[in-house]
């Protein structure tokens, strides 16, 4: 028996809600959440004053615990996150699944912050919560969407707290990528295939592995914009 898109959507939303996705409220850049968004988009959150959660991502992805995040571990971590987002397990992310990611898994990228068990739909000033990124536009109407690239010289420097606030996920990320899934929609179809997602993961690993060592070290990673701000505010957002 076939299932309607609405029924499927409601079922998926319920599935995500059941996985204890926290609620969100307006993001205040003067009261920054202790949040890190991994290179392929997985969010990590810690209480105020706790170590900056890049350490949680790194230790979780470093499966053998040797202090080095190698290419295989990085790719396995990316693949596992794709599978988490692929709610109907068809090997691709639909525009609906991307929207679930943006609104319920990592709402920080549309200007919200996680606060508790109920969702507040208000947007932070300066953020357009209705804006949909490349992967959600179905290949049409892209003329007003900026083109973002991974890495480059700016990604190799720690964030300057005097710079304007980056967009989307970028304040919480190692790379200046406002929507971490969007670049994997390589044919502008509105669907992200796992193979393309992993190609982007491979590219991002190589961008972060500046010396081409074949592994990443936590102490050598760039600091995110938010991490630098938190440290400047004398919080324990240490970059271990």
């Amino acid at each position: 028996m076939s299932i309607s898109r609405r029924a499927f959507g409601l079922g998926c939303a319920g599935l995500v809600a059941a996985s204890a996705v926290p609620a969100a409220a307006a993001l205040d850049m003067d009261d920054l959440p202790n949040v890190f968004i991994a290179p392929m988009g997985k969010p990590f959150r810690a209480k105020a004053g706790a170590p900056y959660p890049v350490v949680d991502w790194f230790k979780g992805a470093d499966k053998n615990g040797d202090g080095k995040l190698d290419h295989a571990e990085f790719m396995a971590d990316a693949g596992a996150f794709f599978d988490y987002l692929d709610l109907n397990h068809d090997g691709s992310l639909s525009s609906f699944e991307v929207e679930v990611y943006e609104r319920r898994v990592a709402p920080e990228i549309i200007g919200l912050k996680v606060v508790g068990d109920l969702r507040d739909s208000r947007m932070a000033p300066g953020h357009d919560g209705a804006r949909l990124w490349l992967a959600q536009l179905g290949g049409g109407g892209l003329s007003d969407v900026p083109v973002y690239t991974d890495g480059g010289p700016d990604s190799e420097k720690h964030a300057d707290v005097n710079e304007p606030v980056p967009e989307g996920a970028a304040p919480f990320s190692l790379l200046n990528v406002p929507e971490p899934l969007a670049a994997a929609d390589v044919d502008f179809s509105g669907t992200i295939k796992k193979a393309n997602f992993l190609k982007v993961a491979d590219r991002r690993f190589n961008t972060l592995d500046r010396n081409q060592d074949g592994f990443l070290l936590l102490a050598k990673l760039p600091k995110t914009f938010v991490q630098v701000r938190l440290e400047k505010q004398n919080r324990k957002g240490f970059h271990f």
Side-chain angles (χ1 to χ4, degrees), residues 10-26:
L10 291 174
C12 290
L15 185 99
V16 174
S19 65
V21 176

Side-chain angles (χ1 to χ4, degrees), residues 24-30 107-113 120-130 165 172:
L27 179 62
D28 182 355
M29 296 308 288
D30 292 324
E108 290 88 354
I109 72 175
I110 57 170
L112 300 177
K113 70 176 179 180
D120 185 335
S121 61
R122 293 171 297 166
M123 299 293 151
H127 289 259
D128 179 3
V165 178
F172 311 98

